[in-house]
């Protein structure tokens, strides 16, 4: 019982910070597909809920620190993020979050761009569901590879 709970907690915790790795860890641990998918999505959404709740204050704090250090508001990375947001909106940020930004990074980006919290939660939820399903299927499909033998 306890080893199973440890597997569940591990997949959930990995999903909170590095979404792509959660399905790989769940499949490597031998968990069933629906459970891996659910734990991955729950992990990401837990991070999104926590950070979007604290996000406004954190966004202001980060901006204030940047201004104090005399750093420019825009650099190459922030310009790329703003151009994605201008072109695709919150949908684009949510779509790229599991792949490029991580749950923490994507939520911070959305709060820095002053996206309303309900929109952050809505778009991150469908993104987590979509990518969680895709990554879980890919992990199952390639679970025969030797890399998974190290985790069994």
């Amino acid at each position: 019982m306890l080893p199973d709970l440890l597997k569940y907690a591990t997949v959930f915790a990995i999903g909170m910070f590095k979404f792509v790795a959660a399905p790989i860890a769940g499949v490597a641990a031998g968990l069933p597909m629906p459970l891996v998918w659910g734990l991955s999505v729950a992990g990401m959404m837990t991070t999104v809920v926590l950070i979007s709740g604290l996000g406004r204050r954190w966004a202001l704090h980060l901006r204030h620190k940047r201004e104090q250090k005399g750093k420019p508001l825009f650099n190459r990375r922030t310009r790329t993020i703003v151009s994605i947001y201008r072109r695709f909106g919150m949908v684009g940020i949510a779509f790229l979050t599991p792949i490029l930004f991580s749950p923490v990074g994507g939520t911070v980006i959305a709060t820095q761009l002053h996206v309303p919290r309900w929109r952050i939660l809505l778009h991150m939820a469908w993104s987590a569901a979509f990518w969680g399903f895709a990554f879980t299927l890919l992990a199952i499909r390639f679970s025969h590879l030797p890399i998974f033998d190290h985790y069994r």
Side-chain angles (χ1 to χ4, degrees):
M1 180 67 175
L2 189 58
D4 288 337
L5 289 177
L6 188 59
K7 289 179 187 179
Y8 304 157
T10 301
V11 174
F12 178 83
I14 292 171
M16 288 179 71
F17 301 103
K18 192 64 179 167
F19 188 77
V20 175
I24 295 170
V27 170
L31 299 177
M33 189 246 187
L35 187 59
V36 172
W37 178 69
L39 289 170
S40 300
V41 171
M44 177 170 160
M45 289 311 297
T46 300
T47 299
V48 170
V49 167
L50 292 174
I51 292 179
S52 66
L54 302 172
R56 298 280 177 237
R57 286 183 179 241
W58 195 13
L60 291 173
H61 172 72
L62 291 175
R63 183 171 291 166
H64 184 67
K65 279 180 58 176
R66 183 179 291 133
E67 289 172 354
Q68 280 182 334
K69 290 182 180 179
K71 290 186 176 180
L73 184 60
F74 292 103
N75 57 31
R76 185 175 180 192
R77 182 171 186 244
T78 57
R79 286 181 203 282
T80 303
I81 291 168
V82 169
S83 69
I84 291 169
Y85 181 72
R86 284 188 175 166
R87 188 165 182 187
F88 301 107
M90 186 57 210
V91 172
I93 298 296
F95 185 78
L96 295 174
T97 290
I99 302 168
L100 296 178
F101 304 133
S102 83
V104 174
T107 309
V108 168
I109 289 167
T111 55
Q112 288 277 359
L113 294 169
H114 301 287
V115 176
R117 186 171 189 227
W118 69 270
R119 286 187 58 213
I120 295 171
L121 296 175
L122 172 73
H123 291 296
M124 292 296 190
W126 69 256
S127 178
F130 171 77
W131 284 114
F133 187 76
F135 292 146
T136 303
L137 283 180
L138 284 171
I140 289 169
R141 172 69 178 96
F142 293 107
S143 64
H144 67 283
L145 294 175
I147 191 169
F148 284 90
D149 292 338
H150 298 289
Y151 300 105
R152 291 185 187 150

